[in-house]
């Protein structure tokens, strides 16, 4: 329960990020109207947060190795609070962009550190559930953002969107103080030689003394410390890197075969999470529903709330399935459902766009149903598994900075979709855009099928062995799991 409490507090930063993503979908309608900006500037405003988050996530990896996981979450909260205040002030497009860029750096920190912290305080039997909490937090935040759109959308044009964006500063400040009461990651403490502190924390986040002892032995072995050493403090070997020095070389220049496959898997799953087009639905759902035939700002905003509710429900369900069904099976079922939903959505939008006459109620209904179905399948598998899987497969020494590479790719793809979707659907039609996303999802399914072994129930220190066997070895592991 104590480990769950730690993971819940760490996941609060994800709620704030999710809120900013969800609220911007509706706020952009009012921002465009007041500031008189064209679609290109709208795309830039939507996507710049993720460009900045890319750099934030890369910086956060080294930062968390140097100052620890807990203080990195604190830093993320303060950065995000400053960005939210600037966005809420937003007298012009330039200040609004500056605030969004600063918030983006905080988002990069948050997305990198929350799952890593949750994974490192969790025991193997509950790691999937606790590491999924940041993704659940994002879904809660997105839903709250959509609700905020409806709640504040009736205010004056100058006031409404500024309150929508600025209110995120309040929970950011609360989290900054709350996280300081949480313990540091025991794995990071062991890397610094602080074995006594790590032992005390493991006793609090484990189910028994035996489990705490076993976890400490595994961590010491992974950190290159004698497993029989019972000292409270071990002076780090000056030849060993305890603050993340030299990690980039081991990850990118001279990786072992296992690390190379781990990096490919982590980068691949983060690439495909957004390449399937989820950000187009989350950020531009009012435009999609408008293309399908819904008219009126309030109707569009209320239809978007359904996206947020669907996202929350299915991420919530997935938290209970990850440690029972397993990561791999959820991933494959989820991707197959995404392919089907996107194909139907693309077909319906194409029919509506080429129909000239009375509104096609059946096509409009199918557009809404397939949109919600896409969000449902995405959030029951691909969304949570991306963050859980990539946070647990890296070796201890490489985990923070290796994971930050995956998050950077994630943000790059998010920004690419956010900043190009309007241009894309204007070039190939909105139905064609979703057919393209469906094709990418087919490639993703085969990538996951051949390269992803099951990690359910394995300790973080054992997972590297799964990736040391090559494709044939991983295929054998898959068969044995079945």
């Amino acid at each position: 329960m104590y480990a769950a409490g730690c993971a819940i507090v760490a996941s609060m930063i994800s709620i704030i990020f999710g809120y900013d993503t969800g609220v911007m979908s509706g706020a952009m309608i009012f921002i465009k109207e007041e500031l008189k900006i064209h679609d290109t500037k709208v795309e830039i405003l939507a996507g710049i947060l993720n460009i900045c988050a890319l750099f934030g996530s890369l910086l956060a990896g080294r930062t968390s190795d140097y100052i620890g996981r807990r203080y990195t979450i604190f830093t993320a909260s303060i950065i995000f609070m400053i960005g939210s205040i600037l966005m809420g002030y937003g007298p012009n497009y330039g200040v609004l962009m500056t605030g969004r860029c600063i918030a983006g750096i905080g988002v990069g920190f948050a997305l990198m550190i929350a799952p890593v912290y949750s994974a490192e305080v969790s025991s193997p039997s509950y790691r999937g559930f606790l590491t999924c909490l940041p993704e659940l937090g994002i879904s809660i935040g997105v839903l709250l953002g959509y609700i905020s759109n409806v709640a504040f959308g009736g205010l004056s044009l100058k006031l409404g969107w500024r309150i929508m964006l600025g209110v995120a500063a309040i929970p950011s400040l609360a989290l900054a103080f709350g996280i300081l009461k949480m313990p540091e990651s025991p794995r990071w403490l062991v890397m610094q030689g602080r074995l006594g502190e790590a032992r005390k924390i493991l006793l609090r986040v484990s189910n028994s003394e035996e489990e705490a002892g076993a976890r400490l032995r595994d961590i010491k072995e992974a950190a290159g410390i004698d497993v029989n050493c019972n000292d409270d403090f071990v002076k780090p070997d000056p030849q060993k890197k305890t603050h993340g020095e030299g990690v980039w070389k081991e990850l990118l220049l001279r990786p072992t075969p296992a690390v190379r496959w781990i990096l490919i898997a982590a980068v691949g799953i983060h690439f495909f999470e957004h390449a399937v087009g989820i950000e187009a639905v989350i950020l531009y759902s009012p435009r999609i529903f408008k293309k399908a035939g819904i008219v009126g700002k309030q109707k569009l905003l209320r239809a978007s709330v359904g996206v947020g509710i669907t996202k929350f429900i299915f991420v919530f369900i997935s938290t209970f399935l990850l440690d029972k069904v397993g990561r791999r099976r959820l991933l494959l079922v989820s991707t197959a459902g995404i392919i089907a939903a996107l194909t139907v959505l693309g077909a319906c939008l194409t029919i509506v766009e080429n129909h000239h006459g009375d509104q096609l109620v059946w096509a409009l209904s199918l557009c809404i149903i397939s949109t919600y179905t896409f969000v449902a399948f995405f959030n029951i598998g691909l969304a949570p598994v991306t963050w859980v899987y990539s946070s647990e497969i890296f070796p201890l020494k490489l985990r923070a900075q290796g994971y930050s590479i995956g998050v950077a790719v994630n943000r790059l793809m998010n920004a690419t979709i956010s900043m190009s979707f309007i241009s894309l659907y204007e070039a190939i039609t909105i139905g064609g855009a979703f057919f393209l996303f469906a094709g990418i999802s087919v490639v993703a399914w085969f990538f996951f099928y051949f390269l992803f072994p099951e990690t359910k129930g394995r300790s973080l220190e054992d997972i590297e062995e799964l990736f040391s066997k090559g494709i044939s070895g991983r295929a054998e592991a898959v068969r044995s799991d079945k």
Side-chain angles (χ1 to χ4, degrees):
M1 292 303 296
Y2 186 74
C6 294
I8 288 170
V9 173
S11 301
M12 288 291 294
I13 191 70
S14 299
I15 296 178
I16 300 168
F17 160 61
Y19 174 85
D20 187 78
T21 301
V23 80
M24 185 55 75
S25 68
M28 284 191 298
I29 298 173
F30 304 102
I31 291 170
K32 182 178 181 181
E33 183 178 345
E34 183 189 341
L35 301 184
K36 310 298 182 186
I37 56 177
H38 49 72
D39 280 344
T40 301
K41 285 191 173 183
V42 171
E43 285 184 318
I44 294 172
L45 181 63
I48 196 66
L49 178 137
N50 293 295
I51 293 291
C52 296
L54 185 158
F55 295 104
S57 64
L58 292 173
L59 181 62
R62 181 62 185 273
T63 302
S64 69
D65 278 341
Y66 194 79
I67 66 174
R69 315 315 195 206
R70 183 177 58 157
Y71 284 111
T72 303
I73 297 176
F74 175 83
T75 302
S77 303
I78 297 300
I79 294 172
F80 201 94
M81 181 184 69
I82 295 170
S84 297
I85 291 171
L86 281 175
M87 286 191 291
Y89 172 54
N92 54 54
Y93 186 75
V95 173
L96 185 60
M97 283 287 290
T98 301
R100 195 144 170 86
C101 286
I102 293 173
I105 294 173
V107 165
F109 270 73
L111 289 175
M112 178 265 143
I113 195 58
V116 168
Y117 179 85
S118 299
E120 292 188 345
V121 299
S122 308
S123 63
S125 56
Y126 293 100
R127 189 175 62 245
F129 174 80
L130 296 183
T131 311
C132 186
L133 290 179
E135 182 63 30
L136 181 62
I138 292 173
S139 70
I140 293 172
V142 168
L143 177 57
L144 291 175
Y146 287 149
I147 293 172
S148 176
N149 288 155
V150 176
F152 298 120
L155 298 178
S156 68
L157 184 60
K158 289 184 177 293
L159 187 62
W161 65 265
R162 289 181 171 87
I163 293 180
M164 293 177 194
L165 298 176
V167 75
I170 299 172
S172 299
L173 182 61
L175 174 63
F177 288 104
I179 195 62
L180 294 179
K181 297 185 179 296
M182 294 295 102
E184 183 52 84
S185 160
R187 286 176 167 85
W188 183 81
L189 290 172
V190 170
M191 287 288 289
Q192 312 312 308
R194 295 155 63 177
L195 305 185
E197 294 175 64
R199 188 181 299 112
K200 290 177 183 177
I201 293 170
L202 283 169
L203 285 170
R204 299 178 73 182
V205 299
S206 299
N207 294 314
S208 64
E209 288 189 24
E210 291 75 16
E211 181 187 306
R215 289 174 68 182
L216 182 60
R217 285 193 297 274
D218 289 342
I219 298 169
K220 286 193 289 188
E221 184 177 2
I225 298 174
D226 183 0
V227 295
N228 296 313
C229 175
N230 292 315
D231 295 340
D232 286 343
F233 181 80
V234 175
K235 189 175 181 179
D237 187 337
Q239 300 299 318
K240 292 181 179 178
K241 314 296 185 184
T242 61
H243 291 98
E245 305 92 336
V247 167
W248 292 114
K249 186 181 295 183
E250 293 184 43
L251 277 170
L252 301 176
L253 299 182
R254 289 197 289 269
T256 64
V259 169
R260 184 181 299 112
W261 282 114
I262 287 171
L263 188 60
I264 290 171
V267 168
I269 195 169
H270 278 285
F271 171 86
F272 283 117
E273 185 191 18
H274 287 288
V276 300
I278 188 62
E279 201 64 17
V281 172
I282 297 297
L283 204 52
Y284 295 106
S285 54
R287 285 180 179 248
I288 294 170
F289 292 136
K290 186 176 182 180
K291 286 283 186 180
I294 298 177
V295 293
K297 288 180 183 177
Q298 285 300 313
K299 286 183 179 179
L300 290 171
L301 294 176
R302 284 196 290 269
S304 298
V305 170
V307 173
I309 292 172
T310 304
K311 179 177 175 63
F312 168 72
I313 290 173
F314 283 88
V315 169
F316 182 76
I317 293 171
S318 74
T319 61
F320 298 97
L321 297 178
L322 280 162
D323 289 316
K324 294 180 179 179
V325 175
R327 285 66 152 153
R328 175 185 164 82
R329 188 175 300 171
L330 270 182
L331 193 58
L332 294 176
V333 171
S334 167
T335 309
I338 287 170
I339 295 168
L342 285 173
T343 303
V344 173
L345 179 58
C348 291
L349 286 170
T350 300
I351 291 170
V352 170
E353 197 165 30
N354 290 291
H355 176 74
H356 304 289
D358 295 336
Q359 187 181 71
L360 293 176
V361 177
W362 67 268
L364 169 60
S365 301
L366 266 181
C367 283
I368 296 173
I369 292 170
S370 55
T371 299
Y372 290 170
T373 302
F374 168 43
V375 173
F377 273 108
F378 178 84
N379 286 287
I380 204 167
L382 182 54
V385 172
T386 295
W387 301 97
V388 172
Y389 201 88
S390 56
S391 69
E392 65 188 5
I393 58 178
F394 283 100
L396 174 61
K397 181 182 176 183
L398 309 180
R399 183 169 300 131
Q401 295 186 52
Y403 186 72
S404 73
I405 294 175
V407 175
V409 172
N410 187 285
R411 294 300 91 193
L412 177 62
M413 288 308 302
N414 190 310
T416 300
I417 300 299
S418 302
M419 300 174 77
S420 66
F421 179 66
I422 296 175
S423 302
L424 178 66
Y425 81 63
E426 287 178 348
I428 64 173
T429 75
I430 193 164
F434 284 103
F435 281 133
L436 175 62
F437 294 143
I440 293 171
S441 302
V442 172
V443 178
W445 191 92
F446 284 101
F447 179 82
F448 301 145
Y449 182 82
F450 287 108
L451 291 182
F452 280 55
E454 181 58 73
T455 57
K456 179 187 69 173
R458 294 180 181 268
S459 73
L460 292 177
E461 287 66 41
D462 289 340
I463 289 175
E464 184 179 0
E465 183 182 347
L466 291 173
F467 287 87
S468 64
K469 302 172 182 178
I471 291 180
S472 60
R474 282 192 294 281
E476 184 179 337
V478 168
R479 287 193 293 272
S480 65
D481 283 334
K482 290 180 180 178

